[in-house]
């Protein structure tokens, strides 16, 4: 990349008091725009007795009603297909996406040209933080379907002047050939797929680390902020990893800080973040873990107010060494509230298992199965090892030992035959409950 890296915007470095003032102004504008036009939120605000003109901020934020995915799904069921959470007449909407939920049916999400442009502007903040400029060439090895996925990253990339190369509808081998031909400097994909492409490259004798890619932006799963997973991707690609997190219903909320790896900045210029106890709904102070709740300030045509993301985070609001004053989610997305399982009295998150397993470079794929057949539940792990791995039994023993130390459980570890565990492109489903019901490890970017 030529020239100096893009600096943070002034709007990302405001003193907290000025940021709060800005958020208050934008929130008032949003609520005023919704009330009377957006049927879903007019009803919710009226039911909660919210008076927009006398709302104090941030003290009254908790008086705004929470929004859940179930509520939006029920609204779409009651008024199919789009529901009533729209601010503009339906003929203004130009983009359709849907969530990729494996539990329940997906939410349908539509945008106008204006609300889509706001989403793209939020992605530009991700690129700025990742030091991506118009001089870059960005490759998207991703099946472009109805998931919002990297559509927004693609459009935002071309708007900043980078050459954007779609990699949908092709095999991993064909993607590697395209990579060789167009020589991108940046790759955007899920952490799982970054590892998978590395595995396919190795099997065909190619060395990604010697290639053109200097940066891998990952999203869609928490892996980008799990130290062992990111180290594996960075080694395999010879490239820096930058993590990003967003939701279809919310937009591109956060980006990893270049100067403080392992923390995600919440783009508070465009989103209001508060954190609640996922069970009681009570506010949680900065520094404690809880569920991230997001209000997006600029997607006026299809907004969410105090949306429960189900993502567990720990927020800090001290200024960062990069100059930004935006809140930071320490350690990224720590887990998904819905993913926790209780095994023999111990609460286990899939991210905790991943953080251990990825410390073993010999492990190319794995699957954990929680059996709920007896009351105490049990957890078992299968690992698939690299073809050249030696003494596979010893590796399994070391993985079991590391799991015992990290999560406090004795977990049987079985070595699976090469190429027998499923591989994933979009979202990995490595946490299986009872061999039947699958669990997600995150929402799509
Ligand atoms: Zn920072």
């Amino acid at each position: 990349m030529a020239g100096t890296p893009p600096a943070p915007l002034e709007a990302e470095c405001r003193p907290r008091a000025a940021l709060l003032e800005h958020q208050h102004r934008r929130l008032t504008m949003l609520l005023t725009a919704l009330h009377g036009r957006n049927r879903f939120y007019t009803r919710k605000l009226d039911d909660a007795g919210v008076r927009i003109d006398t709302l104090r901020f941030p003290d009254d934020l908790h008086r705004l009603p929470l929004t859940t995915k179930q509520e939006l799904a029920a609204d779409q069921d009651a008024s199919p297909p789009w529901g009533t959470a729209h601010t503009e007449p339906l003929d203004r909407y130009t983009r359709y996406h849907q969530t990729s939920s494996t539990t329940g049916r997906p939410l349908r999400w539509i945008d106008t040209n204006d609300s889509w442009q706001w989403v793209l502007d939020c992605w530009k903040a991700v690129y700025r933080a990742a030091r991506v400029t118009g001089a870059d060439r960005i490759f998207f090895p991703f099946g472009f379907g109805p998931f919002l996925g990297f559509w927004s990253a693609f459009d935002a990339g071309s708007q900043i002047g980078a050459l954007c190369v779609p990699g949908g509808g092709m095999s991993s081998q064909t993607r590697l050939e395209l990579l060789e031909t167009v020589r991108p400097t940046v790759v955007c994909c899920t952490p799982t797929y970054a590892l998978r492409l590395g595995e396919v490259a190795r099997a065909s004798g190619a060395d990604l680390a010697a290639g053109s890619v200097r940066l891998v932006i990952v999203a869609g799963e928490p892996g980008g902020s799990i130290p062992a997973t990111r180290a594996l991707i960075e080694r395999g690609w010879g490239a820096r990893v930058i993590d990003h997190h967003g939701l279809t219903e919310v937009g591109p909320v956060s980006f990893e800080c270049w100067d403080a790896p392992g923390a995600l900045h919440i783009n508070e210029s465009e989103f209001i973040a508060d954190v609640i106890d996922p069970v009681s709904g009570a506010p949680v102070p900065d520094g404690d873990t809880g569920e991230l709740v997001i209000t997006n300030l600029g997607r006026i045509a299809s907004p969410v107010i105090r949306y429960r993301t189900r993502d567990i985070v720990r927020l800090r609001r001290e200024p960062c060494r990069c100059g930004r004053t935006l809140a930071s989610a320490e350690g990224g997305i720590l887990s998904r509230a819905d993913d926790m399982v209780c095994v023999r009295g111990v609460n286990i998150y899939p991210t905790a298992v991943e953080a251990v397993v990825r410390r073993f470079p010999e492990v190319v794929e794995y699957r954990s199965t929680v059996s709920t057949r007896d009351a105490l539940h049990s957890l078992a792990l299968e690992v698939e090892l690299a073809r050249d791995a030696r003494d596979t039994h010893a590796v399994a023993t070391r993985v079991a030992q590391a799991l015992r130390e990290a999560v406090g459980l004795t977990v049987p570890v079985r070595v699976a035959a090469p190429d027998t565990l499923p591989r994933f492109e979009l979202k990995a489903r490595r946490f299986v409950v009872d061999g039947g019901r699958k669990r997600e490890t995150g929402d799509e970017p």
Side-chain angles (χ1 to χ4, degrees), residues 257-260 265 320-324 328:
C257 179
W258 189 278
D259 298 312
H265 280 307
C320 178
R321 71 186 80 132
C322 69
R324 290 180 178 86
S328 290

Side-chain angles (χ1 to χ4, degrees), residues 67-110:
T67 308
T68 64
K69 189 172 193 171
Q70 292 73 13
E71 230 181 323
L72 290 164
D75 176 56
Q76 293 190 352
D77 285 343
S79 309
W82 312 118
T84 63
H86 303 105
T87 315
E88 298 288 334
L90 282 173
D91 60 3
R92 302 247 170 96
Y93 289 76
T94 54
R95 309 245 359 166
Y96 172 85
H97 296 103
Q98 62 188 45
T99 62
S100 66
S101 175
T102 51
T103 50
R105 70 151 183 76
L107 275 184
R108 295 173 280 272
W109 214 260
I110 50 177

Side-chain angles (χ1 to χ4, degrees), residues 133-409:
T133 70
D136 279 300
R137 213 171 276 174
I138 314 173
F139 180 47
F140 298 82
F142 174 75
F144 284 89
F147 308 138
L148 194 131
F150 290 106
W151 284 103
S152 43
F154 191 94
D155 282 5
S158 62
Q159 284 190 1
I160 64 167
L163 178 67
C164 294
V165 183
M170 49 180 89
S171 67
S172 295
Q173 196 55 50
T174 315
R175 282 171 174 157
L176 287 171
E177 286 160 25
L178 187 58
L179 197 82
E180 197 59 39
T181 310
V182 302
R183 300 191 60 72
T185 49
V186 179
V187 164
C188 288
C189 61
T190 62
T192 286
Y193 196 64
L195 291 171
R196 172 67 183 150
L197 263 188
E199 188 193 350
V200 175
R202 254 192 320 279
S204 63
D207 181 12
L208 286 180
S212 56
V213 177
R214 66 171 176 82
L215 175 72
V216 183
I217 300 180
V218 294
E221 304 167 311
S225 289
I226 297 174
T229 303
R230 62 179 299 138
L232 213 53
I233 299 171
E234 291 190 332
R235 212 164 38 238
W237 285 82
R240 173 77 188 259
V241 164
I242 285 283
D243 195 12
H244 155 66
H245 148 260
L247 287 86
T248 298
E249 316 86 294
V250 171
V253 188
S254 71
F255 46 82
E256 186 176 351
C257 179
W258 189 278
D259 298 312
L264 289 172
H265 280 307
I266 309 282
N267 185 355
E268 289 182 289
S269 280
E270 300 300 330
F271 301 85
I272 295 173
D274 63 298
V275 179
I276 61 170
D277 181 302
V279 179
S280 70
V284 161
D286 288 350
D288 285 359
T289 56
E291 180 180 346
L292 180 66
V293 171
I294 292 287
T295 301
N296 53 14
L297 295 169
R299 204 174 181 178
I300 292 166
S302 42
V304 284
I305 293 176
R306 294 201 73 215
Y307 186 67
R308 297 188 62 163
T309 63
R310 307 303 285 152
D311 292 318
I312 302 294
V313 296
R314 184 188 304 117
L315 288 194
R316 300 223 177 258
R317 304 196 199 238
E318 292 99 41
C320 178
R321 71 186 80 132
C322 69
R324 290 180 178 86
T325 49
L326 308 175
S328 290
E330 270 185 342
I333 304 305
L334 303 173
S335 58
R336 299 266 305 161
D338 308 321
D339 283 345
M340 195 191 77
V341 289
C342 185
V343 177
R344 278 175 270 159
V346 180
N347 290 337
I348 306 261
Y349 285 105
T351 41
V353 175
E354 173 165 353
V356 172
V357 176
R358 290 300 187 205
R359 297 211 302 257
F360 296 85
E362 306 92 322
V363 177
V364 292
E365 195 49 83
Y366 72 95
R367 176 167 63 190
S368 38
T369 306
V370 178
S371 167
T372 52
R373 278 176 205 123
D374 62 62
L376 290 177
H377 301 176
S378 58
L379 176 69
L381 187 73
E382 295 162 277
V383 292
E384 195 184 306
L385 303 181
R387 285 178 181 280
D388 56 359
R390 290 191 202 139
D391 199 354
T392 57
H393 182 71
V395 176
T397 307
R398 282 192 290 126
V399 172
Q401 199 175 343
L403 272 174
R404 193 162 50 243
E405 282 161 21
V407 300
L409 277 180

